C-alpha cells in the first residue's frame, strides 16, 4: 500500500508522497535498486517521479523555491510542510513551519530508510557519508558495492574500483579509505565528472584530510589529483587559507576547505605544485587572486610573480574602503610605487584620478606614488 495522494493545482493535480518516503526512495535508487522495483511502491510512474523529485530534492536547503512553488501551486513552506510531513514527523506546536527544518527528517532516514512502503522491502542499504561539495550526493553501499550518486565507484577510465565495503569510510573532504587502501576523488571534464583513485603508498593509520584538496600522513603529503608531495617536513605541512572579500556586507572570509594553497618548512604549494621562489614564512592570501610573503608578491590567478612589487606595502583595497573606478576591467591593487591590474604594473599618472577617493580616505598612507603626483600637479598650477 502506497502513501500517495493527489493535490489539486489549478485544473490538474500532482501526486504527493511523504517527504521521508521520498528520501528513502531516492536512497534505494542510488544504491542499486531499479525504478521498476522502487516506483511501484510509491504508486508513481517514471514521469511523475521525475517531476516530484525536482520539487522535493531541495526541501532542506535554501534552493529550489521556484520549482516547489510551481509544483504545489504557489503554497508557502508551512502549507507544503503540512502536506508532506506525516503524523510521525509532526513538529512541536511552537515550531514555525519551515521546509529547511526537514533536514532532520533527511538525516534520520539516511540511517533508517525502512519506513512507509519500504518497511519490509529487505533491500540492503547503508548510508556512508554525504559529499562536502555535491549537496545532493552521498556514498552508500548495499553490502557488495559502494555507490556514489547511484553509480559504483570507478576510475577515470570507467573501470570499477573494488573496495572493501565493510570498512569503507570517508576520511574527510574528498578523501576516503578502507582496510586496504586510501582513495581520493578527482574530477575531470567540463561537467566535472567524478572518479576515484588509490593514493599509492599512503599510510592509512596516520592519514589525515587537511581540506578538500590536500591530505597528509606521517611520511608525505598528497594533492587531490593523485600527486604525492614529497615534503621533508610533514609535521609542518598546513593549509594556507584563501581570502574572500565581501563588499556587500564589508566582511572577509578565510576559506580553509576550498584553498588550493599549502606550505611546509621548505616550500609553498599551489594546486599541488611548488610555487617557484615562494618562501613559506609569512606567505598569505590578500584576496582577488593576490598573495605575498615577506619579500615577494604573486598574482596567483596567473601563477605570476609580480616583478618589482613592494611586498611590505602591497595593498588590495578591501570591503569598506572607497571603490577604485578603473580604466579597464579587473581588481585594482597598489603598492607605494605604482598601481597594478591583473598583476601588471600600470602608469601612475593615467591612474591618478581613479585612485583619488581611496588615498583621500586613507590619511594613514603617506608619500606613495599618488601623493607624489598630487604634489607635482599642485606645484605646476
Amino acid at each position: 500500500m502506497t502513501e500517495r495522494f493527489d493535490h489539486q493545482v489549478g485544473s490538474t493535480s500532482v501526486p504527493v508522497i511523504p517527504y521521508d518516503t521520498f528520501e528513502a526512495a531516492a536512497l534505494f535508487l542510488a544504491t542499486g535498486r531499479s525504478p521498476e522495483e522502487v516506483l511501484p511502491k510509491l504508486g508513481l510512474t517514471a514521469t511523475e517521479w521525475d517531476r516530484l523529485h525536482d520539487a522535493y530534492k531541495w526541501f532542506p536547503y535554501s534552493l529550489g523555491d521556484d520549482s516547489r512553488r510551481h509544483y504545489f501551486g504557489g503554497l508557502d513552506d508551512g502549507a507544503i510542510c503540512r502536506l508532506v510531513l506525516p503524523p510521525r514527523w509532526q513538529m512541536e506546536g511552537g515550531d514555525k513551519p519551515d521546509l529547511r527544518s526537514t533536514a532532520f527528517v533527511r538525516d534520520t532516514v539516511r540511517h533508517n530508510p525502512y519506513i512507509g512502503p519500504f518497511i519490509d522491502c529487505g533491500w540492503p542499504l547503508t548510508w556512508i557519508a554525504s559529499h562536502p561539495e555535491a549537496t545532493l550526493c552521498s556514498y552508500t553501499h548495499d553490502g557488495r558495492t559502494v555507490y556514489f550518486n547511484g553509480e559504483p565507484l570507478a576510475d577515470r577510465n570507467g573501470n570499477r574500483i573494488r573496495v572493501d565495503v565493510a570498512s569503507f569510510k570517508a576520511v574527510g573532504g574528498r578523501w576516503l579509505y578502507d582496510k586496504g587502501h586510501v582513495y581520493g576523488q578527482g574530477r575531470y571534464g567540463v561537467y566535472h565528472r567524478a572518479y576515484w583513485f588509490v593514493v599509492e603508498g599512503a599510510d592509512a593509520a596516520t592519514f589525515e584530510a587537511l581540506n578538500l584538496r590536500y591530505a597528509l600522513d606521517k611520511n608525505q603529503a598528497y594533492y587531490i589529483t593523485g600527486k604525492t608531495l614529497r615534503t621533508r617536513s610533514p609535521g609542518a605541512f598546513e593549509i594556507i587559507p584563501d581570502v574572500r572579500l565581501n563588499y556587500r556586507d564589508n566582511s572577509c572570509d578565510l576559506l580553509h576547505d576550498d584553498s588550493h594553497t599549502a606550505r611546509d618548512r621548505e616550500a609553498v604549494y599551489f594546486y599541488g605544485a611548488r610555487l617557484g621562489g615562494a618562501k613559506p614564512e609569512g606567505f598569505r592570501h590578500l584576496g582577488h587572486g593576490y598573495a605575498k610573503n615577506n619579500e615577494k608578491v604573486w598574482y596567483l590567478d596567473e601563477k605570476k610573480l609580480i616583478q618589482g612589487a613592494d611586498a611590505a606595502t602591497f595593498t588590495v583595497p578591501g570591503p569598506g574602503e572607497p571603490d577604485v573606478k578603473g580604466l579597464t576591467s579587473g581588481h585594482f591593487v597598489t603598492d607605494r610605487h605604482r598601481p597594478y591590474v591583473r598583476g601588471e604594473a600600470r602608469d601612475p599618472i593615467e591612474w591618478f584620478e581613479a585612485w583619488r577617493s581611496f588615498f583621500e580616505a586613507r590619511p594613514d598612507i603617506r608619500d606613495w606614488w599618488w601623493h607624489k603626483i598630487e604634489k607635482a600637479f599642485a606645484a605646476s598650477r
Side-chain angles (χ1 to χ4, degrees):
M1 180 176 179
T2 72
E3 294 178 287
R4 167 193 169 144
F5 64 92
D6 291 331
H7 171 68
Q8 196 70 26
V9 178
S11 60
T12 61
S13 63
V14 294
V16 174
I17 63 174
Y19 174 63
D20 57 356
T21 303
F22 163 79
E23 285 289 353
L27 283 172
F28 285 116
L29 287 168
T31 315
R33 312 319 302 193
S34 69
E36 290 74 23
E37 294 174 290
V38 174
L39 297 187
K41 291 184 176 294
L42 305 175
L44 298 175
T45 66
T47 300
E48 289 174 328
W49 167 257
D50 288 343
R51 290 186 60 208
L52 183 144
H53 182 272
D54 285 343
Y56 276 55
K57 64 184 179 181
W58 295 114
F59 277 2
Y61 310 99
S62 58
L63 304 172
D65 183 72
D66 289 344
S67 62
R68 63 175 173 261
R69 294 284 180 266
H70 178 73
Y71 189 83
F72 290 100
L75 295 183
D76 61 19
D77 276 10
I80 296 174
C81 278
R82 287 187 285 273
L83 278 179
V84 303
L85 289 181
R88 57 183 175 263
W89 294 106
Q90 287 301 313
M91 295 178 291
E92 297 295 328
D95 289 347
K96 181 179 179 181
D98 182 345
L99 279 172
R100 279 176 290 184
S101 69
T102 60
F104 84 98
V105 178
R106 175 204 59 200
D107 294 341
T108 302
V109 173
R110 283 174 172 176
H111 293 92
N112 178 23
Y114 302 103
I115 56 172
F118 302 105
I119 196 165
D120 295 318
C121 70
W123 298 332
L125 188 158
T126 298
W127 183 81
I128 300 170
S130 57
H131 193 281
E133 294 174 298
T135 303
L136 299 177
C137 299
S138 294
Y139 290 95
T140 60
H141 76 76
D142 61 3
R144 300 186 306 273
T145 304
V146 173
Y147 297 87
F148 176 74
N149 198 29
E151 298 290 336
L153 304 193
D155 64 20
R156 188 162 183 165
N157 297 318
N159 302 312
R160 289 267 292 270
I161 292 182
R162 304 294 177 181
V163 304
D164 181 72
V165 170
S167 62
F168 188 85
K169 291 185 178 5
V171 180
R174 287 155 61 187
W175 306 97
L176 313 110
Y177 74 96
D178 63 16
K179 66 180 183 180
H181 299 96
V182 175
Y183 306 91
Q185 182 253 303
R187 296 181 299 199
Y188 71 95
V190 176
Y191 299 104
H192 300 292
R193 291 185 62 84
Y195 69 94
W196 289 262
F197 59 91
V198 174
V199 182
E200 298 292 349
D203 180 67
T206 61
F207 193 88
E208 177 187 1
L210 299 181
N211 72 354
L212 292 168
R213 292 165 179 87
Y214 289 95
L216 180 72
D217 65 18
K218 66 178 183 178
N219 300 315
Q220 52 206 6
Y222 307 90
Y223 189 64
I224 199 59
T225 58
K227 182 182 296 184
T228 297
L229 311 179
R230 304 201 180 279
T231 170
R232 287 183 288 167
S233 51
F237 197 93
E238 64 180 1
I239 302 301
I240 301 174
D242 203 349
V243 172
R244 179 171 61 202
L245 304 176
N246 305 310
Y247 291 90
R248 289 186 177 180
D249 60 3
N250 293 339
S251 65
C252 174
D253 297 326
L254 296 180
L255 307 179
H256 181 276
D257 287 348
D258 290 329
S259 178
H260 290 278
T261 316
R263 68 175 156 215
D264 56 18
R265 291 196 186 97
E266 293 75 41
V268 173
Y269 302 87
F270 185 59
Y271 281 86
R274 288 195 174 206
L275 185 63
K279 295 181 180 179
E281 184 178 358
F283 192 97
R284 64 188 181 93
H285 285 273
L286 304 174
H288 298 320
Y290 292 92
K292 71 176 184 177
N293 60 14
N294 297 331
E295 303 167 349
K296 300 176 181 179
V297 182
W298 286 261
Y299 183 50
L300 291 180
D301 283 4
E302 297 180 7
K303 298 183 181 179
K304 177 168 60 181
L305 176 64
I306 304 177
Q307 298 294 338
D310 181 63
T313 61
F314 197 89
T315 300
V316 177
E321 295 185 301
D323 188 25
V324 177
K325 304 299 183 183
L327 308 178
T328 183
S329 62
H331 295 293
F332 313 120
V333 299
T334 187
D335 65 11
R336 64 190 178 96
H337 299 301
R338 63 191 66 85
Y340 302 83
V341 178
R342 294 187 292 278
E344 294 288 339
R346 296 304 173 101
D347 184 342
I349 293 177
E350 289 184 5
W351 283 78
F352 174 76
E353 285 300 330
W355 279 91
R356 175 182 291 279
S357 60
F358 173 82
F359 282 102
E360 287 182 345
R362 292 289 304 271
D364 56 308
I365 297 177
R366 300 175 183 175
D367 299 324
W368 283 27
W369 63 270
W370 189 90
H371 305 95
K372 293 175 182 178
I373 295 173
E374 183 187 38
K375 289 179 182 178
F377 283 170
S380 66
R381 294 190 186 107

